[in-house]
Amino acid sequence: MKFLHYSLCFLLLIMQIQSNDENNVKCEEYFKNIVDAISIGEMPKNVSPQTLLSSGKGLQDLGSYLVCRDSVDLHYIHLRMISGGRPLHMGFCLPQFCDMDYLQTFNETTKKFINNLTNLQFNRSMIESVSYQDPELMYPEWSVGTYLTLFLLIVVVGLNVIGSIFSIIAENKKKAYQDDLQIEIKNKAAQKINDSKIEETSFQSESINQLYRRSELIQNEIMENQESAFMSGQGQFEEIKYEKYKEATWERFALSFSFIHNYQKLFKINEPQGDNAGFVVFNGIRSLSIFWVIFGHDQLIRGSNSFNLIDIPYKITEPGWVTLTPAAYFAVDTFFFVGGFLAAVLLLEKLTKLRTIKFTLVPAMWLHRFLRIWPTYAFCILVYWQLTVYMSDGPIWNEYIASTSTCNTQWWKNLLFIDNMFSHANNGLSYCFGWGWYLSNDFQIFLITPILLIIYARNKKIGLTIIISLLIGSVFSAYYIAFSHDYHLQIGTPNAKPQPDYQDVFYYKPWVRISPYLIGILFGLFYRNYISGQNQKLVDLAKKIKDSVLIRTLLYLIGIGLTQTIIWIIIPLQKDMNAWPPQAQYFYQAFNRVFFVIGVGFCITPALLGCKNDPSRFILGHPFWQPIARISFCMYLTHFIVILFMTFSSTQLVYYQYSHILFFTLTDIVYTIVIGGILSLAIEVPCMNLEKILFAPKKQQAIKLNGNQVQDQIDL
C-alpha cells in the first residue's frame, strides 16, 4: 500500500511539472510571437482585444482589473517596481498559462529593460527592483492570530449587544425605583406631618417640592454612576435605601459595554461650568488637529500612489495647499501641547488635595495612563494586522498586505510603547502601525510627567528649573542632531538629498518631540497658579489680560503671527532646498515646534482665563466640536487605516490635483469619524467604565480625610 501511495504521489508530481512546463512553453511562445510581430511593424495576432483593453498603457496605469479578472481565459498580473524606496505600478491582462512563477524569472530582465529606457530619457537608472505579482495569490493564509482576533471581535460585539440589553432593563428598573421612591417619600412625609402636626397645605407647598428636587438628584446619580440609589434626609428623614435595585458587579460589568448608554454619554453636549469652563477651546483644537493630520497623510499616501506621479515634483513647488502638508506635523505638536497643559492642571489639582505628596503615587498614575491607551491601541493593531487584509481586493491591494505584514515581527514593540526607539528601513516606512509613534512618545513623556509635577508641588522653584532645563535640552538636542547629520527639512523638493534615517534618528524620538509638551506644562502651571491664587503676581497679570482689550489683541497678533510664520516661511524651500543656508535649516528644525505651540498658547490664553466673548472661545469652544474631540484618540488610531484601505483597494490610481486630494480628504474624515466613533463606543469607553469599577475607591473610603486620603476620587 505504501508503494502504491508513493507511486501515485510521484505520478501526480510529474504531471504537475509537465503541466507547468507546458504553460511555460505556451507563455514563451506567446511573448515571442508578440515580439516578432512588433519587429516587423504588425499587430500581434495572438493578443486578444480584451488583453489590449484591460492592460495598462504606461507607468502607473493599472488597466481594467475587474474586467480582466472576470474573463475566463485571462488573469491579472501586477508589475511592481521600486524607485527611490517608493513603489511604481503597471497592470497587465495575460492568458492563464502565463502564471506568476514563470513571469518572476524575468524580473531582472524587466528591470534592465526599464532602466535602459530611463537612461535614455533621464540619464540615470531609476528602478531598484522589479517583481510580477498576481493579486489573487497575495492573500496570507489564516493563522492562529487571525482566528483569535476574529474571536475577540465577536466577543466585543457580543458584550456590546448584551450591555445594550441590560441598559434597557436598567432603565426600566430606574423608572420602577422612581415610582417606589416617590411613594416612600410621601409616606415619610406623611409620618412627619402626623408627628409634628404640620398643616397639609404648607407641607405640599414646601416639603414635597424639596423632596422631589432631592429625588431628581438621586435619579441623576443613578444615570451617571450606575450605582444603587440612596437618599439622605439631611436631618429630616432617615436614609432610604433600595437594595433590590442595586446592580450586582456582573451587571455593572455588562452595563459598561452598553452601546446605548455609552452613545448617550459620548455624544452628550455639556455646557462649560466652573473655573475650567475655558477648557472647551481644546475641543476645537483637537478636532482641527486631527483633521490636519488626516489631510497631511492623505497628501503623502495618495500623492505617492497617483497616476500622474511624474507631475508631483513640479506640483510640490507651488505654494498653497501643498505647503500645509509638511506643516501637518505641527498638528501632532499641538496634541502634545494640549496633553502637557491638561496633565499639569488636572494632576496638580488632585495633588493639592493630598495631605502629603509622595512619589509612591507615580506607579498608579502610570497604570491609569496605560489602561487608558493600551486596550484600544492593541485592539486596533490586531484588527489592522490580522483581519483587514481580507476585507478588500484590487490590483495593488498587495501594498496594503505588505504594510500589515511588518507587524509579523514588530507587533510587540508597539504594545510595549517602544517602537519609536528602533530602526525602520526604507525611510522609516517599514513600521508596524507606523503612526503609533505618537502614542509611544506620549506614553514615554508621561512617564516623567508625574515626577516633574510632584517635584513642582513640593518645591516650585526646583520643579520649574527642571522643566525649563528639559525644554532647553530638547531644543539643543534637536539642533545638534540636525547639525551632526546635516538634515534639511523633510520636504519633497526636486533637489532635496535623500535622508533615509531622518524619521528614525530625528522625527520619532521623544527627546526631540517633548518640547511642545513641556511648553504645555508651563502654560498649565501659569493657569493653575491663577486659579488657585497662590501667586499674586500671576493673578494680577491674568486679570490685566482679562480686563484689557489691547493686551488680548496683542496676544492674538503675536500668536497668529508665530503660527503662520512658522507654516509659510518654508515656501522658498519648496522650489530650492538650498534657498536657506544649512544653519538656518538646523535652527528652524530645533525651534519651529516651540514657536508654533507658543503661538497657539497665546491665542487661547484669554479664553482659558474666562473671557466669554473671546473669538477663540466662540470658534474653538463651539459645542459642535465636543463629540469629535471625544473620539479624536480613536480617530487618530483609525485614520491611517482608512487612508491605506481606500487608496490600495482602488482599481485605478487617483490623478493628483488639489481638488481631488481635498475631496478624498473630506471623504476620509467622514469615514474616520464613523469608524473612530464605533471604536470608541465599543472599546474605549467600556474600558474606561471598567477601570472605574475596578479601581474606584468605596464611598466610605473616599470621604475620609485620614492620613493621605482625599475628599474626592482621584482619577490618575
Side-chain angles (χ1 to χ4, degrees), residues 61-82:
D61 187 351
L62 301 179
S64 298
Y65 169 75
L66 296 177
V67 174
C68 182
R69 189 188 62 178
D70 295 338
S71 300
V72 177
D73 56 344
L74 300 173
H75 71 145
Y76 188 90
I77 291 294
H78 167 222
L79 175 60
R80 184 178 189 265
M81 300 157 280
I82 299 296

PDB file of all heavy atoms in Angstrom, residues 61-82:
ATOM      1  N   ASP A  61      -0.434  53.056 -14.812  1.00  0.00           N
ATOM      2  CA  ASP A  61      -1.725  52.703 -15.409  1.00  0.00           C
ATOM      3  C   ASP A  61      -2.016  51.253 -15.036  1.00  0.00           C
ATOM      4  O   ASP A  61      -1.289  50.345 -15.448  1.00  0.00           O
ATOM      5  CB  ASP A  61      -1.678  52.879 -16.923  1.00  0.00           C
ATOM      6  CG  ASP A  61      -3.049  52.686 -17.568  1.00  0.00           C
ATOM      7  OD1 ASP A  61      -3.983  52.255 -16.856  1.00  0.00           O
ATOM      8  OD2 ASP A  61      -3.179  52.961 -18.771  1.00  0.00           O
ATOM      9  N   LEU A  62      -3.054  51.038 -14.241  1.00  0.00           N
ATOM     10  CA  LEU A  62      -3.365  49.707 -13.733  1.00  0.00           C
ATOM     11  C   LEU A  62      -4.233  48.891 -14.680  1.00  0.00           C
ATOM     12  O   LEU A  62      -4.499  47.712 -14.420  1.00  0.00           O
ATOM     13  CB  LEU A  62      -4.059  49.821 -12.372  1.00  0.00           C
ATOM     14  CG  LEU A  62      -3.265  50.543 -11.284  1.00  0.00           C
ATOM     15  CD1 LEU A  62      -4.067  50.610  -9.998  1.00  0.00           C
ATOM     16  CD2 LEU A  62      -1.919  49.868 -11.044  1.00  0.00           C
ATOM     17  N   GLY A  63      -4.692  49.483 -15.765  1.00  0.00           N
ATOM     18  CA  GLY A  63      -5.561  48.760 -16.679  1.00  0.00           C
ATOM     19  C   GLY A  63      -6.944  48.559 -16.087  1.00  0.00           C
ATOM     20  O   GLY A  63      -7.364  49.263 -15.164  1.00  0.00           O
ATOM     21  N   SER A  64      -7.669  47.561 -16.618  1.00  0.00           N
ATOM     22  CA  SER A  64      -9.033  47.266 -16.145  1.00  0.00           C
ATOM     23  C   SER A  64      -9.004  45.969 -15.344  1.00  0.00           C
ATOM     24  O   SER A  64      -9.153  44.871 -15.889  1.00  0.00           O
ATOM     25  CB  SER A  64      -9.995  47.155 -17.326  1.00  0.00           C
ATOM     26  OG  SER A  64     -10.058  48.367 -18.033  1.00  0.00           O
ATOM     27  N   TYR A  65      -8.789  46.107 -14.058  1.00  0.00           N
ATOM     28  CA  TYR A  65      -8.628  44.949 -13.180  1.00  0.00           C
ATOM     29  C   TYR A  65      -9.886  44.090 -13.133  1.00  0.00           C
ATOM     30  O   TYR A  65      -9.825  42.862 -13.278  1.00  0.00           O
ATOM     31  CB  TYR A  65      -8.248  45.432 -11.782  1.00  0.00           C
ATOM     32  CG  TYR A  65      -8.309  44.370 -10.722  1.00  0.00           C
ATOM     33  CD1 TYR A  65      -7.322  43.395 -10.631  1.00  0.00           C
ATOM     34  CD2 TYR A  65      -9.351  44.337  -9.795  1.00  0.00           C
ATOM     35  CE1 TYR A  65      -7.368  42.422  -9.657  1.00  0.00           C
ATOM     36  CE2 TYR A  65      -9.407  43.363  -8.820  1.00  0.00           C
ATOM     37  CZ  TYR A  65      -8.416  42.410  -8.747  1.00  0.00           C
ATOM     38  OH  TYR A  65      -8.468  41.437  -7.786  1.00  0.00           O
ATOM     39  N   LEU A  66     -11.035  44.705 -12.925  1.00  0.00           N
ATOM     40  CA  LEU A  66     -12.277  43.949 -12.766  1.00  0.00           C
ATOM     41  C   LEU A  66     -12.647  43.219 -14.051  1.00  0.00           C
ATOM     42  O   LEU A  66     -13.092  42.066 -14.017  1.00  0.00           O
ATOM     43  CB  LEU A  66     -13.403  44.886 -12.331  1.00  0.00           C
ATOM     44  CG  LEU A  66     -13.230  45.556 -10.966  1.00  0.00           C
ATOM     45  CD1 LEU A  66     -14.385  46.510 -10.686  1.00  0.00           C
ATOM     46  CD2 LEU A  66     -13.135  44.509  -9.863  1.00  0.00           C
ATOM     47  N   VAL A  67     -12.484  43.881 -15.207  1.00  0.00           N
ATOM     48  CA  VAL A  67     -12.817  43.244 -16.488  1.00  0.00           C
ATOM     49  C   VAL A  67     -11.918  42.045 -16.742  1.00  0.00           C
ATOM     50  O   VAL A  67     -12.373  40.968 -17.149  1.00  0.00           O
ATOM     51  CB  VAL A  67     -12.698  44.271 -17.639  1.00  0.00           C
ATOM     52  CG1 VAL A  67     -12.909  43.579 -18.984  1.00  0.00           C
ATOM     53  CG2 VAL A  67     -13.688  45.405 -17.461  1.00  0.00           C
ATOM     54  N   CYS A  68     -10.629  42.211 -16.485  1.00  0.00           N
ATOM     55  CA  CYS A  68      -9.675  41.119 -16.696  1.00  0.00           C
ATOM     56  C   CYS A  68      -9.946  39.964 -15.741  1.00  0.00           C
ATOM     57  O   CYS A  68      -9.900  38.793 -16.127  1.00  0.00           O
ATOM     58  CB  CYS A  68      -8.253  41.636 -16.527  1.00  0.00           C
ATOM     59  SG  CYS A  68      -6.969  40.396 -16.830  1.00  0.00           S
ATOM     60  N   ARG A  69     -10.244  40.276 -14.503  1.00  0.00           N
ATOM     61  CA  ARG A  69     -10.480  39.225 -13.506  1.00  0.00           C
ATOM     62  C   ARG A  69     -11.692  38.375 -13.843  1.00  0.00           C
ATOM     63  O   ARG A  69     -11.721  37.167 -13.583  1.00  0.00           O
ATOM     64  CB  ARG A  69     -10.661  39.867 -12.121  1.00  0.00           C
ATOM     65  CG  ARG A  69     -10.699  38.884 -10.979  1.00  0.00           C
ATOM     66  CD  ARG A  69     -11.065  39.565  -9.683  1.00  0.00           C
ATOM     67  NE  ARG A  69     -12.397  40.148  -9.738  1.00  0.00           N
ATOM     68  CZ  ARG A  69     -12.985  40.767  -8.713  1.00  0.00           C
ATOM     69  NH1 ARG A  69     -12.332  40.910  -7.574  1.00  0.00           N
ATOM     70  NH2 ARG A  69     -14.205  41.261  -8.832  1.00  0.00           N
ATOM     71  N   ASP A  70     -12.702  38.996 -14.450  1.00  0.00           N
ATOM     72  CA  ASP A  70     -13.929  38.271 -14.769  1.00  0.00           C
ATOM     73  C   ASP A  70     -13.850  37.531 -16.101  1.00  0.00           C
ATOM     74  O   ASP A  70     -14.803  36.837 -16.477  1.00  0.00           O
ATOM     75  CB  ASP A  70     -15.113  39.244 -14.797  1.00  0.00           C
ATOM     76  CG  ASP A  70     -15.399  39.850 -13.422  1.00  0.00           C
ATOM     77  OD1 ASP A  70     -14.987  39.226 -12.429  1.00  0.00           O
ATOM     78  OD2 ASP A  70     -16.008  40.929 -13.347  1.00  0.00           O
ATOM     79  N   SER A  71     -12.751  37.676 -16.833  1.00  0.00           N
ATOM     80  CA  SER A  71     -12.589  36.958 -18.097  1.00  0.00           C
ATOM     81  C   SER A  71     -12.201  35.502 -17.821  1.00  0.00           C
ATOM     82  O   SER A  71     -11.447  35.207 -16.884  1.00  0.00           O
ATOM     83  CB  SER A  71     -11.511  37.621 -18.960  1.00  0.00           C
ATOM     84  OG  SER A  71     -11.870  38.966 -19.253  1.00  0.00           O
ATOM     85  N   VAL A  72     -12.678  34.604 -18.658  1.00  0.00           N
ATOM     86  CA  VAL A  72     -12.499  33.172 -18.410  1.00  0.00           C
ATOM     87  C   VAL A  72     -11.051  32.736 -18.608  1.00  0.00           C
ATOM     88  O   VAL A  72     -10.476  32.034 -17.771  1.00  0.00           O
ATOM     89  CB  VAL A  72     -13.434  32.354 -19.329  1.00  0.00           C
ATOM     90  CG1 VAL A  72     -13.195  30.851 -19.124  1.00  0.00           C
ATOM     91  CG2 VAL A  72     -14.881  32.711 -19.075  1.00  0.00           C
ATOM     92  N   ASP A  73     -10.444  33.127 -19.722  1.00  0.00           N
ATOM     93  CA  ASP A  73      -9.118  32.624 -20.071  1.00  0.00           C
ATOM     94  C   ASP A  73      -7.992  33.617 -19.792  1.00  0.00           C
ATOM     95  O   ASP A  73      -6.869  33.438 -20.264  1.00  0.00           O
ATOM     96  CB  ASP A  73      -9.096  32.224 -21.548  1.00  0.00           C
ATOM     97  CG  ASP A  73      -9.503  33.378 -22.450  1.00  0.00           C
ATOM     98  OD1 ASP A  73     -10.083  34.351 -21.915  1.00  0.00           O
ATOM     99  OD2 ASP A  73      -9.253  33.312 -23.669  1.00  0.00           O
ATOM    100  N   LEU A  74      -8.290  34.697 -19.041  1.00  0.00           N
ATOM    101  CA  LEU A  74      -7.281  35.706 -18.733  1.00  0.00           C
ATOM    102  C   LEU A  74      -7.156  35.887 -17.221  1.00  0.00           C
ATOM    103  O   LEU A  74      -8.065  35.559 -16.461  1.00  0.00           O
ATOM    104  CB  LEU A  74      -7.655  37.052 -19.377  1.00  0.00           C
ATOM    105  CG  LEU A  74      -7.799  37.079 -20.897  1.00  0.00           C
ATOM    106  CD1 LEU A  74      -8.328  38.439 -21.347  1.00  0.00           C
ATOM    107  CD2 LEU A  74      -6.475  36.776 -21.584  1.00  0.00           C
ATOM    108  N   HIS A  75      -6.026  36.402 -16.801  1.00  0.00           N
ATOM    109  CA  HIS A  75      -5.875  36.770 -15.390  1.00  0.00           C
ATOM    110  C   HIS A  75      -4.990  38.011 -15.297  1.00  0.00           C
ATOM    111  O   HIS A  75      -4.230  38.341 -16.213  1.00  0.00           O
ATOM    112  CB  HIS A  75      -5.317  35.611 -14.564  1.00  0.00           C
ATOM    113  CG  HIS A  75      -3.882  35.290 -14.828  1.00  0.00           C
ATOM    114  ND1 HIS A  75      -3.016  34.864 -13.854  1.00  0.00           N
ATOM    115  CD2 HIS A  75      -3.142  35.328 -15.968  1.00  0.00           C
ATOM    116  CE1 HIS A  75      -1.822  34.652 -14.367  1.00  0.00           C
ATOM    117  NE2 HIS A  75      -1.873  34.924 -15.646  1.00  0.00           N
ATOM    118  N   TYR A  76      -5.101  38.698 -14.152  1.00  0.00           N
ATOM    119  CA  TYR A  76      -4.453  39.997 -13.971  1.00  0.00           C
ATOM    120  C   TYR A  76      -3.086  39.812 -13.325  1.00  0.00           C
ATOM    121  O   TYR A  76      -2.930  39.068 -12.349  1.00  0.00           O
ATOM    122  CB  TYR A  76      -5.331  40.900 -13.107  1.00  0.00           C
ATOM    123  CG  TYR A  76      -4.850  42.335 -13.019  1.00  0.00           C
ATOM    124  CD1 TYR A  76      -5.282  43.283 -13.930  1.00  0.00           C
ATOM    125  CD2 TYR A  76      -3.963  42.732 -12.027  1.00  0.00           C
ATOM    126  CE1 TYR A  76      -4.848  44.602 -13.863  1.00  0.00           C
ATOM    127  CE2 TYR A  76      -3.511  44.045 -11.944  1.00  0.00           C
ATOM    128  CZ  TYR A  76      -3.963  44.977 -12.869  1.00  0.00           C
ATOM    129  OH  TYR A  76      -3.529  46.281 -12.799  1.00  0.00           O
ATOM    130  N   ILE A  77      -2.079  40.512 -13.863  1.00  0.00           N
ATOM    131  CA  ILE A  77      -0.723  40.492 -13.315  1.00  0.00           C
ATOM    132  C   ILE A  77      -0.304  41.934 -13.021  1.00  0.00           C
ATOM    133  O   ILE A  77      -0.449  42.822 -13.860  1.00  0.00           O
ATOM    134  CB  ILE A  77       0.274  39.846 -14.294  1.00  0.00           C
ATOM    135  CG1 ILE A  77      -0.012  38.354 -14.425  1.00  0.00           C
ATOM    136  CG2 ILE A  77       1.703  40.063 -13.825  1.00  0.00           C
ATOM    137  CD1 ILE A  77       0.236  37.560 -13.152  1.00  0.00           C
ATOM    138  N   HIS A  78       0.205  42.133 -11.813  1.00  0.00           N
ATOM    139  CA  HIS A  78       0.651  43.456 -11.373  1.00  0.00           C
ATOM    140  C   HIS A  78       2.175  43.512 -11.428  1.00  0.00           C
ATOM    141  O   HIS A  78       2.865  42.707 -10.781  1.00  0.00           O
ATOM    142  CB  HIS A  78       0.143  43.713  -9.943  1.00  0.00           C
ATOM    143  CG  HIS A  78       0.777  44.895  -9.281  1.00  0.00           C
ATOM    144  ND1 HIS A  78       1.174  44.866  -7.959  1.00  0.00           N
ATOM    145  CD2 HIS A  78       1.095  46.138  -9.738  1.00  0.00           C
ATOM    146  CE1 HIS A  78       1.697  46.031  -7.634  1.00  0.00           C
ATOM    147  NE2 HIS A  78       1.662  46.818  -8.692  1.00  0.00           N
ATOM    148  N   LEU A  79       2.687  44.440 -12.215  1.00  0.00           N
ATOM    149  CA  LEU A  79       4.134  44.673 -12.267  1.00  0.00           C
ATOM    150  C   LEU A  79       4.476  45.751 -11.245  1.00  0.00           C
ATOM    151  O   LEU A  79       4.089  46.904 -11.391  1.00  0.00           O
ATOM    152  CB  LEU A  79       4.561  45.103 -13.669  1.00  0.00           C
ATOM    153  CG  LEU A  79       6.037  45.493 -13.834  1.00  0.00           C
ATOM    154  CD1 LEU A  79       6.956  44.327 -13.483  1.00  0.00           C
ATOM    155  CD2 LEU A  79       6.315  46.003 -15.247  1.00  0.00           C
ATOM    156  N   ARG A  80       5.220  45.361 -10.205  1.00  0.00           N
ATOM    157  CA  ARG A  80       5.578  46.275  -9.119  1.00  0.00           C
ATOM    158  C   ARG A  80       7.057  46.622  -9.229  1.00  0.00           C
ATOM    159  O   ARG A  80       7.909  45.731  -9.247  1.00  0.00           O
ATOM    160  CB  ARG A  80       5.288  45.639  -7.767  1.00  0.00           C
ATOM    161  CG  ARG A  80       5.538  46.543  -6.565  1.00  0.00           C
ATOM    162  CD  ARG A  80       5.156  45.814  -5.285  1.00  0.00           C
ATOM    163  NE  ARG A  80       5.176  46.703  -4.141  1.00  0.00           N
ATOM    164  CZ  ARG A  80       6.209  46.842  -3.309  1.00  0.00           C
ATOM    165  NH1 ARG A  80       7.325  46.159  -3.525  1.00  0.00           N
ATOM    166  NH2 ARG A  80       6.138  47.656  -2.274  1.00  0.00           N
ATOM    167  N   MET A  81       7.340  47.911  -9.292  1.00  0.00           N
ATOM    168  CA  MET A  81       8.713  48.399  -9.390  1.00  0.00           C
ATOM    169  C   MET A  81       9.007  49.317  -8.206  1.00  0.00           C
ATOM    170  O   MET A  81       8.114  50.014  -7.723  1.00  0.00           O
ATOM    171  CB  MET A  81       8.903  49.175 -10.702  1.00  0.00           C
ATOM    172  CG  MET A  81       8.639  48.344 -11.952  1.00  0.00           C
ATOM    173  SD  MET A  81       8.215  49.353 -13.401  1.00  0.00           S
ATOM    174  CE  MET A  81       6.480  49.683 -13.070  1.00  0.00           C
ATOM    175  N   ILE A  82      10.229  49.302  -7.749  1.00  0.00           N
ATOM    176  CA  ILE A  82      10.659  50.156  -6.637  1.00  0.00           C
ATOM    177  C   ILE A  82      11.621  51.196  -7.176  1.00  0.00           C
ATOM    178  O   ILE A  82      12.626  50.868  -7.815  1.00  0.00           O
ATOM    179  CB  ILE A  82      11.325  49.341  -5.517  1.00  0.00           C
ATOM    180  CG1 ILE A  82      10.347  48.319  -4.952  1.00  0.00           C
ATOM    181  CG2 ILE A  82      11.824  50.275  -4.410  1.00  0.00           C
ATOM    182  CD1 ILE A  82       9.133  48.939  -4.283  1.00  0.00           C
TER     183      ILE A  82
END
